[in-house]
Amino acid sequence: GSVVASYPYDDSPTHRITGVYSKSADDEVFKYLAKAYASHHPIMRTGKPNCPGEEGETFPDGITNGAQWYDVEGGMQDYNYVWANCFEITLELSCCKYPPTSELPKEWENNRESLLAFIEKV
């Protein structure tokens, strides 16, 4: 896990593991939506999730192009965009994939304003 808003494309023509910006035709719209979410999240907006084992990982403005971060062939975000014209971003909300129940109120507080801002944009 991490704390970042990721947008298409997750796959790239070269299929390099990481570091390839795979721009979609609607790249500016996706960046706008990802920033709308990230800019209201207290951790995401810093671009420094500080996840254990990935302490040096950074995301400018708390967002990333999927393939720039890591290449995913056949992901739902790209599939839905290409075949159903659905605009999706992927929200990584925690360093821990399954946070303990005791952490859920804090996670809600971290994400509430982001979710509302995102809904307003959509």
Side-chain angles (χ1 to χ4, degrees):
S2 193
V3 184
V4 65
S6 172
Y7 55 90
Y9 286 117
D10 286 334
D11 195 5
S12 69
T14 62
H15 302 298
R16 280 189 31 217
I17 295 171
T18 188
V20 177
Y21 195 102
S22 191
K23 186 176 180 177
S24 74
D26 296 294
D27 194 63
E28 292 301 316
V29 174
F30 282 118
K31 287 194 290 190
Y32 174 77
L33 293 173
K35 283 182 184 179
Y37 195 97
S39 67
H40 290 86
H41 191 286
I43 298 167
M44 198 178 292
R45 71 174 166 230
T46 71
K48 298 175 185 173
N50 201 30
C51 292
E54 299 290 338
E55 290 84 358
E57 189 169 58
T58 60
F59 303 101
D61 296 320
I63 68 172
T64 189
N65 172 262
Q68 178 85 35
W69 185 21
Y70 65 91
D71 195 271
V72 174
E73 188 175 351
M76 287 300 297
Q77 179 171 268
D78 291 358
Y79 179 87
N80 287 333
Y81 175 58
V82 171
W83 297 105
N85 200 32
C86 293
F87 284 43
E88 294 184 14
I89 64 171
T90 298
L91 301 168
E92 299 274 343
L93 301 178
S94 172
C95 295
C96 176
K97 295 255 185 219
Y98 303 102
T101 303
S102 62
E103 294 288 320
L104 295 181
K106 179 180 151 210
E107 291 300 329
W108 169 245
E109 287 303 316
N110 284 346
N111 289 282
R112 182 181 60 213
E113 292 304 317
S114 296
L115 181 59
L116 292 172
F118 183 75
I119 290 169
E120 288 172 0
K121 303 298 183 209
V122 175

